[in-house]
Every structure is written in C-alpha cells, then in structure tokens.
Amino acid sequence: MPVKKSAAIVCVCVVLLSGCRTFDKTAGIKEYDTVDYTSESVAVTECERIERLLNSQLNTRALWRAVLLSNHIQDSSAAQKMLERCHQAVVDEYSESVLKEDWQNALRCYVSLQSCSYPELSKLPLSRTTLESCVINDAPGLKNETVPGSDRVSQYIRGTVTVYVDKGFKVERGMGIQDAMLGSGFFISHDGYIVTNHHVISAMVDPKYEGYARLYIKLADDPDTRIPAKVVGWDSVLDLALLKAEVDAPYVFSLGFSSDLDVGDKVYAIGSPLGLDRTLTSGVISAKDRRLFTEGVVFQIDAAVNSGNSGGPLIDASGKVQAIVFAGVENYQGLNFAIPVEYLRYELPVLYAGGERVHPWMCAYGKTERLPGANAKNEGVLVQYVMPGGSAALSGIQAGDVITAFDGIRVSSLEDLHRMFMQCLSETVVRVKVRHEDEKEEVVLVCLSSRPEQPGYEVYQTDLLEHSLLPLLGMELVRASTSKKLYSVSKVLKASAADELSFSESDTVQIVGVEFDATKSYIYVTVYTKRRKNGWLEMALALTAQLDSPYYF
C-alpha cells in the first residue's frame, strides 16, 4: 500500500538535455466557445449553441447558458424563449427522475432550477428537503442498521470480510503463479452491502485491464468459503468502492462522525493483513489533515496495518466506523492512513446509484486565502488561475477573486470547497459567492463540469503555454521573443515548484521542450534560464510536475 505524494515533484539538471523535443504550443490549443455578449448576433449564435446542448440531453448546462444569455441581453425575445424552453427541459427531466425514483438526478435538477431562480419552483411535487431525505433513505449505510448484539470486540470482527480478487495466473521467470488481490471490507447493511477500497477491486472495473478477474468475499465466521460478490459503484479519486454479496450480514457497522475525533484519540483497525483474517490492531490518531488525495484530507494513524488491511474499518471504542484504512508507507512503521468516514457518507448515494463516480470541478486553481499572522482565520478560497472556456471563466470568476460561499454555505478553506463538491453531481448549477479584488461581492452561477483524470493536462491542452505553467509549475510567463520561444517571468506563486527553484519576477526563460509520460500524469519541461537569485548564471533546468493536485477545483 505505497503512498503517492501529491505535491509537485521538481527535478533539476544543470547539463544540456539534448534529447527533449521542441514544440509549438499553439498547435494543440482547443478553441473553446466563448460568448461575446457585445456582438449584435450573439443571441442567435448562443441560442444555436444552447440548442445543441438540449439535443445532447445536457439540460442543466443549457439552462445555465440560457440564464447567462438572458442576464446580458434582457430585451431579446429569442433569449427569453430559449430560457423558457430550458426551464421546461429541466423540469421534464426532474419529473422523469422522480417517477423512476432516481433521487440523485432529481435533486441535481431541483438544485439547478433553484439556483437559476425558476419562478414556479414551489409547484414541483417534492421539495429539496424531501429529495435530500429520499437520497439518504435510499442508500445503504446511512441509517443505523446495526444488528443487536454484544459490545465485545469479537462482535465487530464478525462484520468484516476478506475481499479476494482472483486474476488467474501470471507468468514470471517461465513459471505460472497465482495472481490475486487481497483486501478487507465491512458490512454497512444487513442485506450484504460492503465497503472497501477501489484499489483492491480495480481490476474488476478498469477498462484497460484485459485479463481474467473474479470477485469473492470471505466471512470472518467462515473463512474457507468464497462467496461471489459484484461491484456496485466505485470512486478512484477517494479510493472507495461499494460491493454487494447475496448474504445476510452477521454484524452491520454504524457510521460515526470522525469530526468528533481528535489527535491522540484511540482507534482500532480490523482487517486481513497478508491474508490473516480477523486481525485487530490498535493505535491513535496521529494527524487529521494529511493531504494525500486530490480532494480532501486524510487521517494519519499509528495502528499497525499491512497489505491486506486496505478497505477495513477504523473504529472507535464504541464500535462506530470513523475511517476506512487505505494506505501505509512501505518499510516504515506507524505511518498509515485512513479515509474519514464523512467522505464515505457523501459518496454512498452516488456509489449506490452504480458505476464510476465522476467528481465535479469549476475548471480553476487556487488555495486557501488566509490573512497574515499566526492565529489568522481562513477567509475563503483564492482563485489563482481560471481555465479559458471553463465553467468558472464563463461565470465571470477571475484570478484574484476569493470564493466565500457555495450554494449558500460559507466557504472558509479549499478543504471546505472540496467537501461541498463531494456532495454534488457534475452538471449541477450552483450559486457561488465571490469577493473581487476591489472588495465588491457578487453571486455568480456556475455549472459544475466533470473533473478530468489529469486536470493539469486539460489546462495545458486548453491554454497558451505561458499561462498554463502557472498552475503546472507555479510561474506565469510573458513573451519576450517569438522566434526563440523566449519568455520573462511575470508571476511566481509562493511555495510552488518555481518558488522552490528560486525563480522570481523578470527572470528570463527559454523553453526547449515539453514532454509527458505515457499516462499523461507528469509533465517534463526543459528550459534555459537566467535567474536573479542565481547571479544571472545561465543554466539548463529540467522541471517535472504532476498533472493533478489538490489545488484544482
């Protein structure tokens, strides 16, 4: 269970790297449809674009663009008619979802209509509060389903399972050996719904995996019997998965509230390390804010866990699940990590709906805005970069703005914003409150997009190189010469890769080449540079950074 470090990685090389290819960045830039509201023909052009969205069943996105259009061109009859059409399309989708008892999608439509100030919202059959209750009641694990029994630890162990993925055989050194994946899981409902980690069952859902794979579970009371199971839903970002087995759970765990825990509190991990089922270890919460995911933070614990513990419950003294074990640092004892149970609460309705969980984002990059001083409070989320053509850009959000509220709820940090994203589906229209650099506040409409697997690569494909390097490496450039791809540094973000390498404003940078790894997870930028903090000595640098990080939102 190795840990992947999410922070940017920077490699420095002071010799000329002649193997990197040169490139022309402008050749691969996408042409996003931006709206020029000052044009006389904008209503017709935008209505045609909205019509295409309606034909593609992207009704909430069409409604969002129709509202933006009508806000700018209030006297246009074409814009008003299109707005009415979009309202009706979303209402129809809402009604159809209610009939199908698809509460998640019905809630998405309702929130979008509410955000867009639909005038007949009160006439809809179910309110937002009712829909939210339906979502909770429909999903397993969000109601207390604990089977009555004793409070002895042995009772808790009966609620855990060993997750076994049989991948057949693989050939190593000319010999066939069994290929399998072992993990842990725990029951959250009496009818056999089980929570585990995505990486334990990834072979079952990875479209790139071409081998053989079957999924089984083994009960703690009957470790010799393999019980077939299936994957209901999965989330590769938060490393969670929901399984279903046709079995009556001998014990069902209740989900706690990990916000009640603090550093130093006692916890217990139950799982099957190295296949040794029914293993319980104890420890304490070592830290609550480790940033190992691209969304949210995780717990660091010192309870002993090993390969096979992944997906097992981390419980408190009363037996309530407070986190899900997911990783440890190889060759180091006491450095293990668990996913807070609140994230599982947010995810369960989406996982229960089935398939892959796609996270939303606003196509922006930034950090928590904090006033100077040791005891200063967080002020919101500072927007440092906005992707051209993305949801934030079309909504009017600009670099330098501070996000202070999301869907009517105050936002004090980037972690707050990520938690709110976890409770939303993509293509939901929400109201976002921002404070501009002139201290004026404004509420804007944002239609959440689907977060790509590597947001940094999307940024690179979308924007000019001199701008895209701001979220990628932490420095923004301005052209100094078009013939030699020579730039001058115009901005450096604090604590970024560029800052760590002592780049500062007015330094000169010549781009030699840009490359990516095979999975588009890393970018490699080779440059010649003269830096003020290095005495203007010319040297070649190879800069490497991950294309995903917690700062994309």
Side-chain angles (χ1 to χ4, degrees), residues 472-484:
L472 295 178
L473 296 174
M475 63 178 175
E476 187 173 34
L477 309 177
V478 293
R479 285 262 184 177
S481 171
T482 56
S483 59
K484 296 183 178 181

Side-chain angles (χ1 to χ4, degrees), residues 198-199 234-240 293 356-357 359 453:
H198 164 262
H199 76 261
W234 67 95
D235 183 349
S236 59
V237 174
L238 293 180
D239 199 10
L240 292 171
F293 286 158
E356 182 180 9
R357 162 60 151 150
H359 285 259
E453 186 175 353

Side-chain angles (χ1 to χ4, degrees), residues 327-349:
V329 179
E330 293 181 349
N331 302 322
Y332 289 88
Q333 296 182 354
L335 287 176
N336 306 305
F337 304 94
I339 306 162
V341 73
E342 273 79 12
Y343 297 171
L344 176 61
R345 285 181 174 275
Y346 302 148
E347 292 289 292
L348 274 175

Side-chain angles (χ1 to χ4, degrees), residues 92-401:
D92 291 344
E93 184 178 356
Y94 162 85
S95 301
E96 184 179 352
S97 298
V98 170
L99 289 175
K100 294 179 178 179
E101 296 187 354
D102 184 355
W103 308 121
Q104 281 279 307
N105 195 57
L107 180 60
R108 179 183 69 86
C109 293
Y110 189 98
V111 171
S112 299
L113 288 168
Q114 186 180 48
S115 300
C116 294
S117 302
Y118 176 53
E120 299 184 2
L121 191 69
S122 60
K123 295 182 180 180
L124 297 181
L126 298 177
S127 67
R128 178 169 181 172
T129 302
T130 302
L131 288 170
E132 289 172 343
S133 298
C134 290
V135 167
I136 294 174
N137 293 333
D138 195 43
L142 297 181
K143 296 178 293 184
N144 190 342
E145 297 191 52
T146 301
V147 176
S150 69
D151 291 332
R152 302 182 63 176
V153 173
S154 58
Q155 185 79 354
Y156 306 146
I157 292 177
R158 296 179 66 233
T160 61
V161 300
T162 300
V163 180
Y164 183 85
V165 179
D166 182 2
K167 297 190 283 186
F169 292 87
K170 60 182 178 180
V171 178
E172 288 186 0
R173 298 179 181 179
M175 299 181 62
I177 60 174
Q178 188 176 16
D179 188 10
M181 181 71 180
L182 280 174
S184 302
F186 59 95
F187 287 107
I188 59 168
S189 70
H190 186 69
D191 56 349
Y193 281 97
I194 300 163
V195 171
T196 187
N197 283 147
H198 164 262
H199 76 261
V200 173
I201 54 85
S202 60
M204 303 296 301
V205 297
D206 185 359
K208 298 178 182 178
Y209 179 72
E210 299 178 350
Y212 161 97
R214 286 189 178 179
L215 174 63
Y216 304 95
I217 64 162
K218 297 179 181 180
L219 300 177
D221 291 341
D222 186 10
D224 296 327
T225 302
R226 293 184 183 181
I227 302 173
K230 66 178 181 179
V231 181
V232 178
W234 67 95
D235 183 349
S236 59
V237 174
L238 293 180
D239 199 10
L240 292 171
L242 181 65
L243 314 181
K244 179 67 167 69
E246 298 303 321
V247 62
D248 290 334
Y251 181 85
V252 177
F253 283 95
S254 294
L255 304 183
F257 294 91
S258 57
S259 57
D260 297 335
L261 291 180
D262 204 351
V263 173
D265 287 350
K266 190 83 170 181
V267 289
Y268 305 86
I270 308 175
S272 304
L274 304 178
L276 299 173
D277 56 349
R278 296 170 293 173
T279 298
L280 181 141
T281 55
S282 64
V284 298
I285 301 292
S286 304
K288 295 181 63 178
D289 57 354
R290 298 305 185 205
R291 186 169 285 172
L292 301 183
F293 286 158
T294 56
E295 292 192 28
V297 294
V298 300
F299 292 163
Q300 179 183 329
I301 60 175
D302 72 347
V305 299
N306 293 280
S307 178
N309 270 108
S310 293
L314 189 74
I315 63 176
D316 59 16
S318 64
K320 291 186 176 181
V321 177
Q322 301 290 3
I324 301 93
V325 176
F326 81 97
V329 179
E330 293 181 349
N331 302 322
Y332 289 88
Q333 296 182 354
L335 287 176
N336 306 305
F337 304 94
I339 306 162
V341 73
E342 273 79 12
Y343 297 171
L344 176 61
R345 285 181 174 275
Y346 302 148
E347 292 289 292
L348 274 175
V350 185
L351 297 180
Y352 179 66
E356 182 180 9
R357 162 60 151 150
V358 178
H359 285 259
W361 76 317
M362 292 168 51
C363 310
Y365 177 96
K367 66 174 185 178
T368 299
E369 173 74 348
R370 186 178 292 107
L371 294 176
N375 298 318
K377 295 181 179 180
N378 297 335
E379 294 294 310
V381 177
L382 174 63
V383 180
Q384 296 176 309
Y385 171 84
V386 176
M387 189 179 79
S391 295
L394 291 175
S395 299
I397 297 176
Q398 300 177 352
D401 291 346

